[in-house]
Structures are given as structure tokens and as C-alpha cells.
Amino acid sequence: MLGEFEYLLITTAARLGDNAYGAAIREGIEEVAQRKCSIGALYTTIERLENKGLITTWMGEATPERGGRAKRMVRVTGKGVRAAKEFYEAMMRVSKGASWAVNQTGNLS
Amino acid sequence: MTYNAWSMVEFSARLLSRNERDAVLGDFLEASEAPWKALFGVLGLAMRRRLMLWKSWRPWFAAFGLSLPCSLLLMYVSISVICTLERLLGFHLGHWAPTGHEGFLMLLCHIFLLITWSWTSGFAASSLSPRTLCWNAAVCLLVGTRFISMHTHFDPVSPYYSLLFVGPAIWGVRQGRRMLRLPLRHAVALAATMTLLMTWAWTSNALWVFNWLLLYPAWYLVATARTVPYNPTRQVASSTR
């Protein structure tokens, strides 16, 4: 099963779609999770997820605002989507009956 | 970011691979990260990358099962070879003489064995874990020279003599990084020659019992030798270890 940070990364990458790359994912995680995301944690997790076959990465285009440096683009694979879905369902099941989870919908389409 | 601060970040980013360096520095520029945060970020990532290498058994085995014991033994062999040479040539700079009766022929045998032991140890360590070699070398030299100094504290030149094996070992490391595995024929020929010469030295009472340990890198190279022709693409893929 995925770890919490792995789930955050996959979900953010999936949400960003074709715009998923290092800086955007980092910003997305910090915005949603309300916590700092170090570049070290981000890139080591990206590599780990890629080794597990849950995401694929490639070097994208260079832009002027990046000083002409390329982006590391990320795409979630089918296996990654399944792993994220499993994690989400497990969290929903385990949260059922907990006071903070009342009135939350846990159904997945 | 000031020019100086950014230069420091760029310099520290050399610890990362080229693609990762591009991605990380680009991310920092895009996010207008503070220079000191970027610097700690890069150093943190580089440290994580180095630490992750040690999650596998290979670097541990290369360091403590191969490099360290072999370097200690090779340091003693180096001293022994130079002391024998000095004795045969009729001069002696140090005071510690670990050898006694060997003649020129046995000296040549020891020199050949020293070179091949060092070369095979370097090759094996490099093919086992190429990316942790610097750490291995640093630990071996630090521990080894300290150990030798403790045992030969009365002899000022022995610690320098003990580094004779370093040259062939570096040669082996370079070859190991390039080839990763020896062709089977070459590996067998090398290991068999070493075994024969060691047997001869052993029967002539000119070999320390622990020196037999130095033979296992050679047979490790036989066990991992390649039987298919050299393929540069496959070598590059396996060099990511």
C-alpha cells in the first residue's frame, strides 16, 4: 500500500494532468496539505514511485522563467491510479464511525 | 537571488545527476526560492541520494566484506614486498622486516600476486557498488593506515610502503567501472594463475595463511564473468547500481 506522502504526490500529479512536474506538484502539495514539502522528499519519492511503476517521468521543455532549465514531467500510470484508489478506499473504510468522518461521503465512482 | 548565493547553489547541485540538477534548479528559479533554502534543499537531496545507495546489501558487502579486509591484507603484503626487495638489494630504510628467506624468484611471484590481488579487489569492489567507491576508499585508507601505524609505530616508513597496492587497485577500479564484468576466459585464466602461484608460494612457506582470503575477489570475478559478447548498452544500464 502507498504511504501518505506517496498518495499526496500521486493525487496532486493526477489532478495537474499534463502540467504535472516538480515545482507544480510541490506547490500543489503545499497548498492542499498545508505543509512544507522539501525538494529532497519530492524527488526521492518521485524516483521511488517510478521504480514501483506507479508513475512515469521524462524531461520536458525548458522555459525562460526556469532559467532555460528543463522540467521533470510526471504522469500517473494505470497501476498508480489503482494504488491511489486502494489507499483512498482503505482510508474511507478505516475512518468509518470516527467522529471527524461523520457526514463524509466515501463512495468512489 | 544574488549572484554569489546562486553560484553556491549551482555548485552544490553538481552533486546531483545532470537531469535532476536541471529539474531542481529550474524548480527553485520558478518558485523564486530563497538562496539558503535552495542550498539546503540541494544538499538535503544529495544526502538522501547518497544514503539511499546504502539500502542495498551491495555497498555494505563491497565495503566491509571486500575492500576493508583486502586493503588491510594488501597493506601488509606491500610492506613485505618492499622489505624483501630492500633485503635482496642490501639496504633497508625501515626497522620492521616481516620477511626472511625469499629469493628474487619468490619476490617476482609476490609482486605479481600483489598486483593481481589489488587489481581483482579493485575490480570486484567497483563492479559491486561503483557509486559508493569514494566512501569505501576513504574508510579503507583511514582505517588501514591507522592500523598499520599502530602495528609498526616504531618504523617511520612502513605506512608509506603499505600504500604500494593503491596503484594497481585504482587500475582495477577503473577497469571495473568501465566493464563491470570480465570475459569468462580472462577471469578463469587470471584466477587459475593466481591460485597456482599462491599454491607454489604456500608450499615454499612464503605465504601468510590469511593471504588466501585475497583470492576470493578473483573467483568472484569468475562467478560473475560474462559469457556473452560485450554490449555497451547493457553495461550502462547496470552501472546505475
Side-chain angles (χ1 to χ4, degrees), chain B residues 26-51:
Chain B
D27 286 356
F28 283 140
L29 275 174
E30 193 179 324
S32 304
E33 194 93 350
W36 65 269
K37 275 190 183 174
L39 183 64
F40 281 114
V42 167
L43 292 176
L45 177 57
M47 191 180 282
R48 278 168 186 258
R49 288 271 178 257
R50 296 292 178 282
L51 288 176

mmCIF file with all atom_site columns, all heavy atoms in Angstrom, chain B residues 26-51:
data_model
loop_
_atom_site.group_PDB
_atom_site.id
_atom_site.type_symbol
_atom_site.label_atom_id
_atom_site.label_alt_id
_atom_site.label_comp_id
_atom_site.label_asym_id
_atom_site.label_entity_id
_atom_site.label_seq_id
_atom_site.pdbx_PDB_ins_code
_atom_site.Cartn_x
_atom_site.Cartn_y
_atom_site.Cartn_z
_atom_site.occupancy
_atom_site.B_iso_or_equiv
_atom_site.pdbx_formal_charge
_atom_site.auth_seq_id
_atom_site.auth_comp_id
_atom_site.auth_asym_id
_atom_site.auth_atom_id
_atom_site.pdbx_PDB_model_num
ATOM 1   N N   . GLY B 1 26 ? 15.787 24.523 -11.882 1.00 0.00 ? 26 GLY B N   1
ATOM 2   C CA  . GLY B 1 26 ? 14.674 25.168 -12.580 1.00 0.00 ? 26 GLY B CA  1
ATOM 3   C C   . GLY B 1 26 ? 13.496 25.380 -11.642 1.00 0.00 ? 26 GLY B C   1
ATOM 4   O O   . GLY B 1 26 ? 12.874 26.451 -11.630 1.00 0.00 ? 26 GLY B O   1
ATOM 5   N N   . ASP B 1 27 ? 13.199 24.376 -10.824 1.00 0.00 ? 27 ASP B N   1
ATOM 6   C CA  . ASP B 1 27 ? 12.092 24.483 -9.848  1.00 0.00 ? 27 ASP B CA  1
ATOM 7   C C   . ASP B 1 27 ? 12.351 25.625 -8.873  1.00 0.00 ? 27 ASP B C   1
ATOM 8   O O   . ASP B 1 27 ? 11.446 26.382 -8.531  1.00 0.00 ? 27 ASP B O   1
ATOM 9   C CB  . ASP B 1 27 ? 11.939 23.173 -9.061  1.00 0.00 ? 27 ASP B CB  1
ATOM 10  C CG  . ASP B 1 27 ? 11.302 22.070 -9.897  1.00 0.00 ? 27 ASP B CG  1
ATOM 11  O OD1 . ASP B 1 27 ? 10.921 22.349 -11.051 1.00 0.00 ? 27 ASP B OD1 1
ATOM 12  O OD2 . ASP B 1 27 ? 11.199 20.931 -9.394  1.00 0.00 ? 27 ASP B OD2 1
ATOM 13  N N   . PHE B 1 28 ? 13.578 25.736 -8.405  1.00 0.00 ? 28 PHE B N   1
ATOM 14  C CA  . PHE B 1 28 ? 13.916 26.797 -7.444  1.00 0.00 ? 28 PHE B CA  1
ATOM 15  C C   . PHE B 1 28 ? 13.757 28.177 -8.087  1.00 0.00 ? 28 PHE B C   1
ATOM 16  O O   . PHE B 1 28 ? 13.222 29.092 -7.478  1.00 0.00 ? 28 PHE B O   1
ATOM 17  C CB  . PHE B 1 28 ? 15.345 26.634 -6.924  1.00 0.00 ? 28 PHE B CB  1
ATOM 18  C CG  . PHE B 1 28 ? 15.485 25.554 -5.885  1.00 0.00 ? 28 PHE B CG  1
ATOM 19  C CD1 . PHE B 1 28 ? 16.574 24.708 -5.877  1.00 0.00 ? 28 PHE B CD1 1
ATOM 20  C CD2 . PHE B 1 28 ? 14.528 25.393 -4.885  1.00 0.00 ? 28 PHE B CD2 1
ATOM 21  C CE1 . PHE B 1 28 ? 16.708 23.711 -4.922  1.00 0.00 ? 28 PHE B CE1 1
ATOM 22  C CE2 . PHE B 1 28 ? 14.653 24.399 -3.924  1.00 0.00 ? 28 PHE B CE2 1
ATOM 23  C CZ  . PHE B 1 28 ? 15.749 23.555 -3.953  1.00 0.00 ? 28 PHE B CZ  1
ATOM 24  N N   . LEU B 1 29 ? 14.227 28.301 -9.330  1.00 0.00 ? 29 LEU B N   1
ATOM 25  C CA  . LEU B 1 29 ? 14.120 29.591 -10.026 1.00 0.00 ? 29 LEU B CA  1
ATOM 26  C C   . LEU B 1 29 ? 12.648 29.958 -10.233 1.00 0.00 ? 29 LEU B C   1
ATOM 27  O O   . LEU B 1 29 ? 12.244 31.102 -10.007 1.00 0.00 ? 29 LEU B O   1
ATOM 28  C CB  . LEU B 1 29 ? 14.834 29.515 -11.376 1.00 0.00 ? 29 LEU B CB  1
ATOM 29  C CG  . LEU B 1 29 ? 16.332 29.772 -11.354 1.00 0.00 ? 29 LEU B CG  1
ATOM 30  C CD1 . LEU B 1 29 ? 16.924 29.521 -12.725 1.00 0.00 ? 29 LEU B CD1 1
ATOM 31  C CD2 . LEU B 1 29 ? 16.629 31.217 -10.942 1.00 0.00 ? 29 LEU B CD2 1
ATOM 32  N N   . GLU B 1 30 ? 11.870 28.968 -10.645 1.00 0.00 ? 30 GLU B N   1
ATOM 33  C CA  . GLU B 1 30 ? 10.450 29.212 -10.927 1.00 0.00 ? 30 GLU B CA  1
ATOM 34  C C   . GLU B 1 30 ? 9.709  29.623 -9.653  1.00 0.00 ? 30 GLU B C   1
ATOM 35  O O   . GLU B 1 30 ? 8.844  30.489 -9.683  1.00 0.00 ? 30 GLU B O   1
ATOM 36  C CB  . GLU B 1 30 ? 9.844  27.936 -11.502 1.00 0.00 ? 30 GLU B CB  1
ATOM 37  C CG  . GLU B 1 30 ? 8.489  28.161 -12.123 1.00 0.00 ? 30 GLU B CG  1
ATOM 38  C CD  . GLU B 1 30 ? 7.910  26.869 -12.707 1.00 0.00 ? 30 GLU B CD  1
ATOM 39  O OE1 . GLU B 1 30 ? 8.671  26.050 -13.236 1.00 0.00 ? 30 GLU B OE1 1
ATOM 40  O OE2 . GLU B 1 30 ? 6.683  26.715 -12.615 1.00 0.00 ? 30 GLU B OE2 1
ATOM 41  N N   . ALA B 1 31 ? 10.088 29.002 -8.521  1.00 0.00 ? 31 ALA B N   1
ATOM 42  C CA  . ALA B 1 31 ? 9.403  29.302 -7.258  1.00 0.00 ? 31 ALA B CA  1
ATOM 43  C C   . ALA B 1 31 ? 10.041 30.495 -6.540  1.00 0.00 ? 31 ALA B C   1
ATOM 44  O O   . ALA B 1 31 ? 9.603  30.843 -5.444  1.00 0.00 ? 31 ALA B O   1
ATOM 45  C CB  . ALA B 1 31 ? 9.451  28.071 -6.361  1.00 0.00 ? 31 ALA B CB  1
ATOM 46  N N   . SER B 1 32 ? 11.069 31.105 -7.128  1.00 0.00 ? 32 SER B N   1
ATOM 47  C CA  . SER B 1 32 ? 11.825 32.210 -6.509  1.00 0.00 ? 32 SER B CA  1
ATOM 48  C C   . SER B 1 32 ? 12.217 31.868 -5.061  1.00 0.00 ? 32 SER B C   1
ATOM 49  O O   . SER B 1 32 ? 12.000 32.652 -4.136  1.00 0.00 ? 32 SER B O   1
ATOM 50  C CB  . SER B 1 32 ? 11.009 33.501 -6.515  1.00 0.00 ? 32 SER B CB  1
ATOM 51  O OG  . SER B 1 32 ? 10.629 33.802 -7.806  1.00 0.00 ? 32 SER B OG  1
ATOM 52  N N   . GLU B 1 33 ? 12.758 30.693 -4.912  1.00 0.00 ? 33 GLU B N   1
ATOM 53  C CA  . GLU B 1 33 ? 13.155 30.203 -3.578  1.00 0.00 ? 33 GLU B CA  1
ATOM 54  C C   . GLU B 1 33 ? 14.305 31.045 -3.013  1.00 0.00 ? 33 GLU B C   1
ATOM 55  O O   . GLU B 1 33 ? 15.179 31.482 -3.776  1.00 0.00 ? 33 GLU B O   1
ATOM 56  C CB  . GLU B 1 33 ? 13.616 28.746 -3.716  1.00 0.00 ? 33 GLU B CB  1
ATOM 57  C CG  . GLU B 1 33 ? 13.749 28.005 -2.429  1.00 0.00 ? 33 GLU B CG  1
ATOM 58  C CD  . GLU B 1 33 ? 12.476 27.244 -2.062  1.00 0.00 ? 33 GLU B CD  1
ATOM 59  O OE1 . GLU B 1 33 ? 11.435 27.435 -2.713  1.00 0.00 ? 33 GLU B OE1 1
ATOM 60  O OE2 . GLU B 1 33 ? 12.541 26.466 -1.111  1.00 0.00 ? 33 GLU B OE2 1
ATOM 61  N N   . ALA B 1 34 ? 14.282 31.251 -1.695  1.00 0.00 ? 34 ALA B N   1
ATOM 62  C CA  . ALA B 1 34 ? 15.387 31.976 -1.049  1.00 0.00 ? 34 ALA B CA  1
ATOM 63  C C   . ALA B 1 34 ? 16.678 31.166 -1.227  1.00 0.00 ? 34 ALA B C   1
ATOM 64  O O   . ALA B 1 34 ? 16.638 29.942 -1.164  1.00 0.00 ? 34 ALA B O   1
ATOM 65  C CB  . ALA B 1 34 ? 15.089 32.147 0.430   1.00 0.00 ? 34 ALA B CB  1
ATOM 66  N N   . PRO B 1 35 ? 17.823 31.855 -1.441  1.00 0.00 ? 35 PRO B N   1
ATOM 67  C CA  . PRO B 1 35 ? 19.067 31.129 -1.739  1.00 0.00 ? 35 PRO B CA  1
ATOM 68  C C   . PRO B 1 35 ? 19.444 30.110 -0.679  1.00 0.00 ? 35 PRO B C   1
ATOM 69  O O   . PRO B 1 35 ? 19.833 28.989 -1.018  1.00 0.00 ? 35 PRO B O   1
ATOM 70  C CB  . PRO B 1 35 ? 20.126 32.224 -1.809  1.00 0.00 ? 35 PRO B CB  1
ATOM 71  C CG  . PRO B 1 35 ? 19.405 33.497 -1.906  1.00 0.00 ? 35 PRO B CG  1
ATOM 72  C CD  . PRO B 1 35 ? 18.005 33.304 -1.450  1.00 0.00 ? 35 PRO B CD  1
ATOM 73  N N   . TRP B 1 36 ? 19.327 30.452 0.584   1.00 0.00 ? 36 TRP B N   1
ATOM 74  C CA  . TRP B 1 36 ? 19.758 29.496 1.614   1.00 0.00 ? 36 TRP B CA  1
ATOM 75  C C   . TRP B 1 36 ? 18.835 28.298 1.669   1.00 0.00 ? 36 TRP B C   1
ATOM 76  O O   . TRP B 1 36 ? 19.265 27.177 1.909   1.00 0.00 ? 36 TRP B O   1
ATOM 77  C CB  . TRP B 1 36 ? 19.879 30.180 2.990   1.00 0.00 ? 36 TRP B CB  1
ATOM 78  C CG  . TRP B 1 36 ? 18.586 30.692 3.550   1.00 0.00 ? 36 TRP B CG  1
ATOM 79  C CD1 . TRP B 1 36 ? 18.043 31.924 3.382   1.00 0.00 ? 36 TRP B CD1 1
ATOM 80  C CD2 . TRP B 1 36 ? 17.673 29.968 4.384   1.00 0.00 ? 36 TRP B CD2 1
ATOM 81  N NE1 . TRP B 1 36 ? 16.844 32.030 4.036   1.00 0.00 ? 36 TRP B NE1 1
ATOM 82  C CE2 . TRP B 1 36 ? 16.591 30.844 4.675   1.00 0.00 ? 36 TRP B CE2 1
ATOM 83  C CE3 . TRP B 1 36 ? 17.639 28.681 4.916   1.00 0.00 ? 36 TRP B CE3 1
ATOM 84  C CZ2 . TRP B 1 36 ? 15.509 30.465 5.465   1.00 0.00 ? 36 TRP B CZ2 1
ATOM 85  C CZ3 . TRP B 1 36 ? 16.560 28.306 5.706   1.00 0.00 ? 36 TRP B CZ3 1
ATOM 86  C CH2 . TRP B 1 36 ? 15.507 29.196 5.973   1.00 0.00 ? 36 TRP B CH2 1
ATOM 87  N N   . LYS B 1 37 ? 17.538 28.524 1.369   1.00 0.00 ? 37 LYS B N   1
ATOM 88  C CA  . LYS B 1 37 ? 16.599 27.394 1.335   1.00 0.00 ? 37 LYS B CA  1
ATOM 89  C C   . LYS B 1 37 ? 16.930 26.472 0.163   1.00 0.00 ? 37 LYS B C   1
ATOM 90  O O   . LYS B 1 37 ? 16.880 25.250 0.281   1.00 0.00 ? 37 LYS B O   1
ATOM 91  C CB  . LYS B 1 37 ? 15.166 27.908 1.179   1.00 0.00 ? 37 LYS B CB  1
ATOM 92  C CG  . LYS B 1 37 ? 14.503 28.293 2.477   1.00 0.00 ? 37 LYS B CG  1
ATOM 93  C CD  . LYS B 1 37 ? 13.039 28.554 2.226   1.00 0.00 ? 37 LYS B CD  1
ATOM 94  C CE  . LYS B 1 37 ? 12.335 29.007 3.489   1.00 0.00 ? 37 LYS B CE  1
ATOM 95  N NZ  . LYS B 1 37 ? 10.950 29.387 3.214   1.00 0.00 ? 37 LYS B NZ  1
ATOM 96  N N   . ALA B 1 38 ? 17.272 27.104 -0.972  1.00 0.00 ? 38 ALA B N   1
ATOM 97  C CA  . ALA B 1 38 ? 17.634 26.319 -2.151  1.00 0.00 ? 38 ALA B CA  1
ATOM 98  C C   . ALA B 1 38 ? 18.900 25.508 -1.876  1.00 0.00 ? 38 ALA B C   1
ATOM 99  O O   . ALA B 1 38 ? 18.990 24.333 -2.229  1.00 0.00 ? 38 ALA B O   1
ATOM 100 C CB  . ALA B 1 38 ? 17.844 27.241 -3.343  1.00 0.00 ? 38 ALA B CB  1
ATOM 101 N N   . LEU B 1 39 ? 19.854 26.141 -1.196  1.00 0.00 ? 39 LEU B N   1
ATOM 102 C CA  . LEU B 1 39 ? 21.111 25.461 -0.885  1.00 0.00 ? 39 LEU B CA  1
ATOM 103 C C   . LEU B 1 39 ? 20.866 24.248 0.010   1.00 0.00 ? 39 LEU B C   1
ATOM 104 O O   . LEU B 1 39 ? 21.346 23.140 -0.270  1.00 0.00 ? 39 LEU B O   1
ATOM 105 C CB  . LEU B 1 39 ? 22.072 26.441 -0.200  1.00 0.00 ? 39 LEU B CB  1
ATOM 106 C CG  . LEU B 1 39 ? 23.454 25.902 0.135   1.00 0.00 ? 39 LEU B CG  1
ATOM 107 C CD1 . LEU B 1 39 ? 24.215 25.547 -1.141  1.00 0.00 ? 39 LEU B CD1 1
ATOM 108 C CD2 . LEU B 1 39 ? 24.252 26.924 0.928   1.00 0.00 ? 39 LEU B CD2 1
ATOM 109 N N   . PHE B 1 40 ? 20.076 24.437 1.071   1.00 0.00 ? 40 PHE B N   1
ATOM 110 C CA  . PHE B 1 40 ? 19.769 23.308 1.964   1.00 0.00 ? 40 PHE B CA  1
ATOM 111 C C   . PHE B 1 40 ? 18.956 22.245 1.232   1.00 0.00 ? 40 PHE B C   1
ATOM 112 O O   . PHE B 1 40 ? 19.129 21.052 1.481   1.00 0.00 ? 40 PHE B O   1
ATOM 113 C CB  . PHE B 1 40 ? 19.034 23.788 3.214   1.00 0.00 ? 40 PHE B CB  1
ATOM 114 C CG  . PHE B 1 40 ? 19.969 24.386 4.233   1.00 0.00 ? 40 PHE B CG  1
ATOM 115 C CD1 . PHE B 1 40 ? 19.904 25.737 4.565   1.00 0.00 ? 40 PHE B CD1 1
ATOM 116 C CD2 . PHE B 1 40 ? 20.941 23.609 4.850   1.00 0.00 ? 40 PHE B CD2 1
ATOM 117 C CE1 . PHE B 1 40 ? 20.777 26.288 5.489   1.00 0.00 ? 40 PHE B CE1 1
ATOM 118 C CE2 . PHE B 1 40 ? 21.815 24.154 5.770   1.00 0.00 ? 40 PHE B CE2 1
ATOM 119 C CZ  . PHE B 1 40 ? 21.733 25.499 6.090   1.00 0.00 ? 40 PHE B CZ  1
ATOM 120 N N   . GLY B 1 41 ? 18.081 22.701 0.347   1.00 0.00 ? 41 GLY B N   1
ATOM 121 C CA  . GLY B 1 41 ? 17.279 21.753 -0.433  1.00 0.00 ? 41 GLY B CA  1
ATOM 122 C C   . GLY B 1 41 ? 18.152 20.861 -1.287  1.00 0.00 ? 41 GLY B C   1
ATOM 123 O O   . GLY B 1 41 ? 17.991 19.636 -1.295  1.00 0.00 ? 41 GLY B O   1
ATOM 124 N N   . VAL B 1 42 ? 19.108 21.475 -1.983  1.00 0.00 ? 42 VAL B N   1
ATOM 125 C CA  . VAL B 1 42 ? 20.002 20.705 -2.861  1.00 0.00 ? 42 VAL B CA  1
ATOM 126 C C   . VAL B 1 42 ? 20.863 19.752 -2.038  1.00 0.00 ? 42 VAL B C   1
ATOM 127 O O   . VAL B 1 42 ? 20.997 18.565 -2.359  1.00 0.00 ? 42 VAL B O   1
ATOM 128 C CB  . VAL B 1 42 ? 20.894 21.660 -3.688  1.00 0.00 ? 42 VAL B CB  1
ATOM 129 C CG1 . VAL B 1 42 ? 22.016 20.904 -4.352  1.00 0.00 ? 42 VAL B CG1 1
ATOM 130 C CG2 . VAL B 1 42 ? 20.063 22.380 -4.735  1.00 0.00 ? 42 VAL B CG2 1
ATOM 131 N N   . LEU B 1 43 ? 21.428 20.278 -0.934  1.00 0.00 ? 43 LEU B N   1
ATOM 132 C CA  . LEU B 1 43 ? 22.296 19.429 -0.103  1.00 0.00 ? 43 LEU B CA  1
ATOM 133 C C   . LEU B 1 43 ? 21.493 18.282 0.518   1.00 0.00 ? 43 LEU B C   1
ATOM 134 O O   . LEU B 1 43 ? 21.977 17.149 0.613   1.00 0.00 ? 43 LEU B O   1
ATOM 135 C CB  . LEU B 1 43 ? 22.971 20.264 0.995   1.00 0.00 ? 43 LEU B CB  1
ATOM 136 C CG  . LEU B 1 43 ? 24.006 21.281 0.485   1.00 0.00 ? 43 LEU B CG  1
ATOM 137 C CD1 . LEU B 1 43 ? 24.538 22.130 1.636   1.00 0.00 ? 43 LEU B CD1 1
ATOM 138 C CD2 . LEU B 1 43 ? 25.158 20.577 -0.224  1.00 0.00 ? 43 LEU B CD2 1
ATOM 139 N N   . GLY B 1 44 ? 20.270 18.591 0.927   1.00 0.00 ? 44 GLY B N   1
ATOM 140 C CA  . GLY B 1 44 ? 19.406 17.549 1.510   1.00 0.00 ? 44 GLY B CA  1
ATOM 141 C C   . GLY B 1 44 ? 19.113 16.458 0.500   1.00 0.00 ? 44 GLY B C   1
ATOM 142 O O   . GLY B 1 44 ? 19.189 15.272 0.821   1.00 0.00 ? 44 GLY B O   1
ATOM 143 N N   . LEU B 1 45 ? 18.812 16.869 -0.735  1.00 0.00 ? 45 LEU B N   1
ATOM 144 C CA  . LEU B 1 45 ? 18.517 15.874 -1.777  1.00 0.00 ? 45 LEU B CA  1
ATOM 145 C C   . LEU B 1 45 ? 19.754 15.037 -2.086  1.00 0.00 ? 45 LEU B C   1
ATOM 146 O O   . LEU B 1 45 ? 19.672 13.810 -2.213  1.00 0.00 ? 45 LEU B O   1
ATOM 147 C CB  . LEU B 1 45 ? 18.019 16.592 -3.044  1.00 0.00 ? 45 LEU B CB  1
ATOM 148 C CG  . LEU B 1 45 ? 17.724 15.703 -4.256  1.00 0.00 ? 45 LEU B CG  1
ATOM 149 C CD1 . LEU B 1 45 ? 16.693 14.628 -3.928  1.00 0.00 ? 45 LEU B CD1 1
ATOM 150 C CD2 . LEU B 1 45 ? 17.232 16.539 -5.435  1.00 0.00 ? 45 LEU B CD2 1
ATOM 151 N N   . ALA B 1 46 ? 20.905 15.708 -2.181  1.00 0.00 ? 46 ALA B N   1
ATOM 152 C CA  . ALA B 1 46 ? 22.149 14.975 -2.472  1.00 0.00 ? 46 ALA B CA  1
ATOM 153 C C   . ALA B 1 46 ? 22.436 13.965 -1.364  1.00 0.00 ? 46 ALA B C   1
ATOM 154 O O   . ALA B 1 46 ? 22.829 12.827 -1.627  1.00 0.00 ? 46 ALA B O   1
ATOM 155 C CB  . ALA B 1 46 ? 23.305 15.952 -2.619  1.00 0.00 ? 46 ALA B CB  1
ATOM 156 N N   . MET B 1 47 ? 22.203 14.374 -0.109  1.00 0.00 ? 47 MET B N   1
ATOM 157 C CA  . MET B 1 47 ? 22.456 13.467 1.018   1.00 0.00 ? 47 MET B CA  1
ATOM 158 C C   . MET B 1 47 ? 21.499 12.271 0.979   1.00 0.00 ? 47 MET B C   1
ATOM 159 O O   . MET B 1 47 ? 21.895 11.133 1.179   1.00 0.00 ? 47 MET B O   1
ATOM 160 C CB  . MET B 1 47 ? 22.314 14.220 2.336   1.00 0.00 ? 47 MET B CB  1
ATOM 161 C CG  . MET B 1 47 ? 22.809 13.424 3.517   1.00 0.00 ? 47 MET B CG  1
ATOM 162 S SD  . MET B 1 47 ? 22.624 14.346 5.029   1.00 0.00 ? 47 MET B SD  1
ATOM 163 C CE  . MET B 1 47 ? 24.000 15.449 4.904   1.00 0.00 ? 47 MET B CE  1
ATOM 164 N N   . ARG B 1 48 ? 20.228 12.547 0.692   1.00 0.00 ? 48 ARG B N   1
ATOM 165 C CA  . ARG B 1 48 ? 19.253 11.452 0.585   1.00 0.00 ? 48 ARG B CA  1
ATOM 166 C C   . ARG B 1 48 ? 19.668 10.461 -0.492  1.00 0.00 ? 48 ARG B C   1
ATOM 167 O O   . ARG B 1 48 ? 19.584 9.252  -0.309  1.00 0.00 ? 48 ARG B O   1
ATOM 168 C CB  . ARG B 1 48 ? 17.877 12.002 0.204   1.00 0.00 ? 48 ARG B CB  1
ATOM 169 C CG  . ARG B 1 48 ? 17.078 12.549 1.354   1.00 0.00 ? 48 ARG B CG  1
ATOM 170 C CD  . ARG B 1 48 ? 15.890 13.303 0.800   1.00 0.00 ? 48 ARG B CD  1
ATOM 171 N NE  . ARG B 1 48 ? 15.137 13.988 1.827   1.00 0.00 ? 48 ARG B NE  1
ATOM 172 C CZ  . ARG B 1 48 ? 13.995 13.547 2.327   1.00 0.00 ? 48 ARG B CZ  1
ATOM 173 N NH1 . ARG B 1 48 ? 13.481 12.411 1.898   1.00 0.00 ? 48 ARG B NH1 1
ATOM 174 N NH2 . ARG B 1 48 ? 13.362 14.224 3.265   1.00 0.00 ? 48 ARG B NH2 1
ATOM 175 N N   . ARG B 1 49 ? 20.115 11.000 -1.642  1.00 0.00 ? 49 ARG B N   1
ATOM 176 C CA  . ARG B 1 49 ? 20.547 10.129 -2.743  1.00 0.00 ? 49 ARG B CA  1
ATOM 177 C C   . ARG B 1 49 ? 21.699 9.232  -2.311  1.00 0.00 ? 49 ARG B C   1
ATOM 178 O O   . ARG B 1 49 ? 21.732 8.044  -2.626  1.00 0.00 ? 49 ARG B O   1
ATOM 179 C CB  . ARG B 1 49 ? 21.002 10.980 -3.933  1.00 0.00 ? 49 ARG B CB  1
ATOM 180 C CG  . ARG B 1 49 ? 19.862 11.651 -4.643  1.00 0.00 ? 49 ARG B CG  1
ATOM 181 C CD  . ARG B 1 49 ? 19.337 10.735 -5.739  1.00 0.00 ? 49 ARG B CD  1
ATOM 182 N NE  . ARG B 1 49 ? 18.200 11.323 -6.434  1.00 0.00 ? 49 ARG B NE  1
ATOM 183 C CZ  . ARG B 1 49 ? 16.946 10.958 -6.227  1.00 0.00 ? 49 ARG B CZ  1
ATOM 184 N NH1 . ARG B 1 49 ? 16.654 10.013 -5.356  1.00 0.00 ? 49 ARG B NH1 1
ATOM 185 N NH2 . ARG B 1 49 ? 15.961 11.499 -6.905  1.00 0.00 ? 49 ARG B NH2 1
ATOM 186 N N   . ARG B 1 50 ? 22.697 9.815  -1.580  1.00 0.00 ? 50 ARG B N   1
ATOM 187 C CA  . ARG B 1 50 ? 23.846 9.022  -1.121  1.00 0.00 ? 50 ARG B CA  1
ATOM 188 C C   . ARG B 1 50 ? 23.398 7.966  -0.111  1.00 0.00 ? 50 ARG B C   1
ATOM 189 O O   . ARG B 1 50 ? 23.843 6.826  -0.167  1.00 0.00 ? 50 ARG B O   1
ATOM 190 C CB  . ARG B 1 50 ? 24.905 9.911  -0.462  1.00 0.00 ? 50 ARG B CB  1
ATOM 191 C CG  . ARG B 1 50 ? 25.553 10.932 -1.382  1.00 0.00 ? 50 ARG B CG  1
ATOM 192 C CD  . ARG B 1 50 ? 26.420 10.239 -2.429  1.00 0.00 ? 50 ARG B CD  1
ATOM 193 N NE  . ARG B 1 50 ? 27.034 11.171 -3.355  1.00 0.00 ? 50 ARG B NE  1
ATOM 194 C CZ  . ARG B 1 50 ? 26.424 11.761 -4.371  1.00 0.00 ? 50 ARG B CZ  1
ATOM 195 N NH1 . ARG B 1 50 ? 25.137 11.524 -4.590  1.00 0.00 ? 50 ARG B NH1 1
ATOM 196 N NH2 . ARG B 1 50 ? 27.059 12.589 -5.175  1.00 0.00 ? 50 ARG B NH2 1
ATOM 197 N N   . LEU B 1 51 ? 22.517 8.365  0.808   1.00 0.00 ? 51 LEU B N   1
ATOM 198 C CA  . LEU B 1 51 ? 22.072 7.420  1.842   1.00 0.00 ? 51 LEU B CA  1
ATOM 199 C C   . LEU B 1 51 ? 21.264 6.275  1.237   1.00 0.00 ? 51 LEU B C   1
ATOM 200 O O   . LEU B 1 51 ? 21.363 5.139  1.683   1.00 0.00 ? 51 LEU B O   1
ATOM 201 C CB  . LEU B 1 51 ? 21.237 8.140  2.905   1.00 0.00 ? 51 LEU B CB  1
ATOM 202 C CG  . LEU B 1 51 ? 22.025 9.064  3.834   1.00 0.00 ? 51 LEU B CG  1
ATOM 203 C CD1 . LEU B 1 51 ? 21.095 9.806  4.778   1.00 0.00 ? 51 LEU B CD1 1
ATOM 204 C CD2 . LEU B 1 51 ? 23.047 8.266  4.654   1.00 0.00 ? 51 LEU B CD2 1
#
